[in-house]
Amino acid sequence: MIKLIVQLSSPSLLRSVSVDLNNDSSLLIDIPDALCERDKVKFTVHTKTTLNSFQKPDFSVSRQHEDFIWLHDTLVETEEYAGLIIPPAPPKPDFESPREKMHKLGEGEATMTKEEYTKMKQELEAEYLAVFKKTVQVHEIFLQRLSSHPNLSKDRNFQIFLEYDQDLSVRRKNAKEMFGGFFKNMVKSADEVLISGIKDVDEFFEQEKTFLLDYFSKIKDSTAKAEKMTRSHKNVADDYIHISATLNSIAADDNTALKQHLEKFAELLEKLRKVEGRVASDQELKLTELLRYYMRDIQAAKDLLYRRARALADYENSNKALDKARLKSKDVAQAEENQKQCLLKFDKLSESGKKELTSFKGRRVVAFRKNLIEMAELEIKHAKQCVILHSTCIDLMDSSFIFAVVQVRGRR
Amino acid sequence: MHFPSVFSSSTASPLPTLSDSAMDPPLPVSSSEPPKDIFSEPPADTFKDPLNKTSAEKAASGGLSKAQAAVPVKVAADEELDDLFSDSLGESGAAPVTDAKIAPLLDLGEEPQKSDVIKKDGNADLFKEPLGAMTKKPQGSLFTEAKSEAKAARPEQSNSAAADLFTEEAFTVTPVVAAAKSSVNTSSKTNGLHSDEEDLFAEATVELSLDSPHNDRRKREAAKPSAPAPSLSASASTSKPQPKTLEELEEEEKEDTFDLNISVTNPEKVGKSTTSLSMFRSKQFTVRRRFSDFLGLYEKLSEKHAQNGYIVPPPPEKSILGMTKVKVGKEDPSSAEFVERRRAALERYLHRVVSHPSLLQDPDVREFLEKEELPRAVSTQALSGAGFLKMINKATDAVSKMTIKMNESDVWFEEKLQEVESEDQQLRKLHAMVESLVNHRKELSVNTAMFAKSVAMLGSSEDNTALSRALSQLAEVEDRIEQLHQDQASNDFFIFAELLADYIRLLGAVRACFDQRMKAWQRWQDAQNMLQKKRETEAKLLWANKPDKLQQAKDEIVEWEAKVSQYEREFERVSATVRKEVIRFEKEKSRDFKKQIIRYLESLLQSQQQLIKYWEAFLPEAKAIA
């Protein structure tokens, strides 16, 4: 078992998902440091600000994943933000798969040479580190999106999250609440189905709805497929390790002219394996992560649409209630008031929703552009490196190959 | 399902099932023998035939065999059948002859059948069935003539011929002919399903059919056309190897092309394979060979040369599973791969044989390369009596190997043997790893294809035009990359994994030659012990003063002294050969590996270059997103 204590100094090294953030320097947040112990990851959240709502211009606090979730949930539940796309909560750190692999590797240790084992272990550690970095990164992005949002950055809870220098000691959800949350989700999705039947008055939202629904299912599929693809790419890279190690041990026993060729071949494969590994991890970072992030973001946008649709339904119900009240001429004023409130809320939601969705679209396109370009460039870079590796190796072998042939002929 | 009906009508006997056919083998008797032929031929056919067909065929074949068996052989009937057969052949030939190329393919298919037939014939002779003789001759002539036509015709019809037989009444005649032949031949079993298996089954009976008279050959030929379609036939065209110009031959380029086409027409599937091995400089030769012929060649060579310490290159193994797939499967890429794999392996095998200076001079090799028809390879089947004997031999060998304790006088051999053994293990390990690479790469290819599809869908629902375009471009790029991975996976396999598989087999042969040396040593030691004993008896006789027996004892001593020195010389000779062979083997190996590694690297290089192209084409698309 590896010890899962990883200290991270500069997580922003790899920024896989670009979010179109405002270049507003009044509130800058980053996570310069994180510590992983067992299942718990402690993030150091560092804030630099010029806003006077904070007591100090520069401070750091330590936060755990659950704190982030708490922040996200309170934002979602705040009525005021119903018309906003709440940045998706960062996913729970998942160290299971590298850990499991590490376990498997430990079991298979006997079948491998020491060298092979060390390499495999290194690979896994690198993988683990990558997962860790990615985790830190998504948490950072979550905070940065909040800080760059004109309304959300002023949220009280957000500021507490950033500033309060004690443990937030967010209560973990107990079983009842978990169940409650589950139930709420059920109700919500049932409600969603019911409401979705209502024809929207606004063309924009109607379109958005069909688009997002469709897009969500597609991007979800693509994410899963991309994940599979990168994983199998990684497998190929790992195979090179084994092959290279075995070639080396064959070369060690060989004392003919073949020896050096086998060694060269093994060496090449060792280099190739690194490059292929990079290709896989870059794909993961630039492509899979992008898709994954936007899958969650689209979910957030869908939630916004849901809230608006709910408000619309509420408004229509209040209309009906008003009609009824008028008919019976009872509680008319109250009903009128209620209807007015609903309309107000709905209009507000529609207005900010439109703005949010439009900016979301722009943000998505920019992010895709950036990542696709970066990925293509990286692919080209890696492939070029492979080409160089291959051709030098072939040249080396060819020259000695010809030499060997000449020798053989000469002997004849 | 026309087939079953046709058969049933022709045979009038209830269709025996596969099991029946399998059971038949025990009947070496004339009656039983027919089934064999039938089986062998049908199997080939079945080879390519979809399962249904195969089963039908099997049943049919079984039925035929039974019918024949049941009915005291009717020569006349057979002849008639032959006629029918020939007619059908002629027709078939007339039809699609146009494609010369196709024809060879068909020929191949036919040939395998031939070989089967031959064996059967041999069996028949052994058994001395009147029918066999009668039928053979007529068939032979008919067939030989028909053959060429049939070959030409088959291109399309290889399938059709077989298929036709079953499907169309006119052709149904042919099956009958086959049956007749089978009856003639003593060969016992036919597996409709597996050609390979066919061999296995046939073996038991085949052993009997060691003789291959010329008549048989004819029959074989006849059989070829008649046989629905033995799938694996390899035609190797070689310029005649002239013993004197062996060296030249070595230097000559040999091009092997071996195509196996599997086409499905109607319900039947027939496979044809062609190998043409042409050595330029002199005439080109094309012969058609069955897979089992290759095995037969190996048997002959190893019988003759292995004991002298030569490393006889082993042929690729039979793969019942793969073959069954080929026979049963339709246009399945995996069966195409199997066929290509076998083709390539046979090609390499021949190259190895031909590049061995002593083996190249062997008359059997030349016969294999240039003779029109080859007696059906015998005893290549695992279950046959010969196979059984072989197994027993092997077992006793293994036992004696364990019991023989050779105090090695020559360190070189000891070290080499150890080297070979450890290398064998390493290569096996490496091979397993390369196989896993192949699998992982295939997986990657599949996953890439799925991703490509998914991205294409995503692109179609993207509402930003430029991004949508870029996504569908990405899908296209991924699609191409998928192809790249797939090609690379087959390169991994054909260039790298197969090389290792070959050498694992070859190392087995190397070990076998060490064993031969040990055996020679053992013989020598035994002789020495015997001599020692004889001397002791002489001493005893002297002591007992029995002059009458003394002379005999002395003679024996002289005799054994001669034997000892003979065996010692033999041992020395084998040792020298083994040493030479191992050195030669190592040289070849290092050349082979180098060549293949470079080829492999080149294939990797190429796919990376393609990759660069694809992504470079994509880059502007990504940049165009606005």
Side-chain angles (χ1 to χ4, degrees), chain B residues 598-615:
Chain B
I598 289 177
R599 257 184 79 195
Y600 182 61
L601 291 182
E602 273 164 358
S603 77
L604 283 172
L605 177 66
Q606 229 183 354
S607 57
Q608 292 293 344
Q609 277 165 342
Q610 284 301 107
L611 211 56
I612 295 178
K613 254 194 231 162
Y614 294 155
W615 284 112

Side-chain angles (χ1 to χ4, degrees), chain A residues 215 221 239 361 364 369, chain B residues 440 454 461-463 623 625:
Chain A
Y215 204 78
D221 183 58
D239 283 334
K361 195 164 283 184
R364 193 186 74 232
R369 175 174 194 270
Chain B
H440 280 143
S454 182
S461 46
E462 170 64 56
D463 60 355
K623 285 185 174 157
I625 302 172

Side-chain angles (χ1 to χ4, degrees), chain A residues 108-208:
Chain A
E109 189 178 352
T111 64
M112 278 179 254
T113 63
K114 208 177 160 196
E115 182 194 9
E116 232 174 319
Y117 178 74
T118 328
K119 276 184 199 155
M120 284 304 278
K121 204 175 150 196
Q122 280 169 1
E123 263 321 276
L124 276 183
E125 278 163 359
E127 198 178 316
Y128 181 80
L129 196 66
V131 171
F132 185 69
K133 281 181 181 171
K134 230 166 54 193
T135 308
V136 170
Q137 199 203 344
V138 285
H139 284 78
E140 194 181 54
I141 283 172
F142 173 65
L143 295 180
Q144 284 171 345
R145 270 194 62 188
L146 288 179
S147 75
S148 65
H149 196 283
N151 302 5
L152 294 175
S153 63
K154 304 206 172 53
D155 182 71
R156 185 73 203 122
N157 285 323
F158 180 44
Q159 296 201 347
I160 290 173
F161 177 90
L162 292 177
E163 206 172 17
Y164 187 62
D165 60 355
Q166 307 282 308
D167 190 352
L168 275 180
S169 71
V170 175
R171 205 165 44 83
R172 306 284 173 263
K173 286 180 178 168
N174 60 30
K176 197 177 159 194
E177 276 172 322
M178 290 281 274
F179 183 74
F182 179 67
F183 186 69
K184 228 164 76 186
N185 268 339
M186 293 261 294
V187 171
K188 190 188 135 202
S189 41
D191 200 27
E192 228 166 346
V193 173
L194 282 178
I195 292 176
S196 67
I198 300 171
K199 176 77 182 153
D200 206 312
V201 282
D202 194 329
E203 189 70 10
F204 174 82
F205 284 101
E206 187 63 24
Q207 265 181 11
E208 263 323 286

Side-chain angles (χ1 to χ4, degrees), chain A residues 12-41:
Chain A
S12 345
L13 275 180
L14 38 135
R15 166 150 309 172
S16 62
V17 180
S18 76
V19 213
D20 186 23
L21 303 169
N22 294 345
N23 292 325
D24 180 7
S25 61
S26 61
L27 183 62
L28 292 177
I29 303 170
D30 64 337
I31 302 181
D33 211 11
L35 192 67
C36 175
E37 291 170 38
R38 298 254 148 213
D39 277 344
K40 278 184 192 153
V41 183

Side-chain angles (χ1 to χ4, degrees), chain B residues 289-425:
Chain B
R289 296 289 178 252
R290 264 189 86 98
F291 179 71
S292 52
D293 293 337
F294 287 82
L295 299 186
L297 176 65
Y298 169 71
E299 291 297 328
K300 282 185 204 153
L301 290 178
S302 77
E303 216 170 276
K304 269 189 274 185
H305 300 284
Q307 61 185 0
N308 292 327
Y310 284 111
I311 299 175
V312 181
E317 281 120 8
K318 287 186 166 193
S319 158
I320 290 175
L321 187 74
M323 213 54 216
T324 313
K325 254 193 190 163
V326 170
K327 286 175 204 163
V328 161
K330 300 180 182 171
E331 301 268 312
D332 184 1
S334 77
S335 64
E337 194 187 289
F338 170 79
V339 167
E340 166 58 20
R341 175 183 178 182
R342 179 174 265 191
R343 181 202 70 73
L346 289 175
E347 189 180 294
R348 288 193 306 270
Y349 163 66
L350 279 187
H351 275 174
R352 288 209 173 90
V353 170
V354 178
S355 66
H356 192 293
S358 324
L359 295 184
L360 184 57
Q361 294 183 46
D362 190 281
D364 279 329
V365 173
R366 264 177 296 139
E367 188 187 74
F368 182 86
L369 294 178
E370 55 181 354
K371 215 166 193 176
E372 263 301 299
E373 283 96 33
L374 217 54
R376 175 78 153 98
V378 174
S379 78
T380 58
Q381 295 88 351
L383 297 180
S384 68
F388 186 62
L389 274 179
K390 226 164 48 182
M391 263 164 59
I392 290 179
N393 276 338
K394 271 184 190 159
T396 50
D397 272 5
V399 171
S400 67
K401 227 193 279 180
M402 277 189 285
T403 50
I404 295 178
K405 265 224 162 166
M406 187 170 178
N407 37 357
E408 184 60 81
S409 50
D410 197 329
V411 192
W412 187 88
F413 285 101
E414 207 175 347
E415 282 177 359
K416 269 295 165 217
L417 187 59
Q418 261 174 11
E419 259 177 47
V420 167
E421 267 161 12
S422 84
E423 192 178 355
D424 183 60
Q425 271 189 350

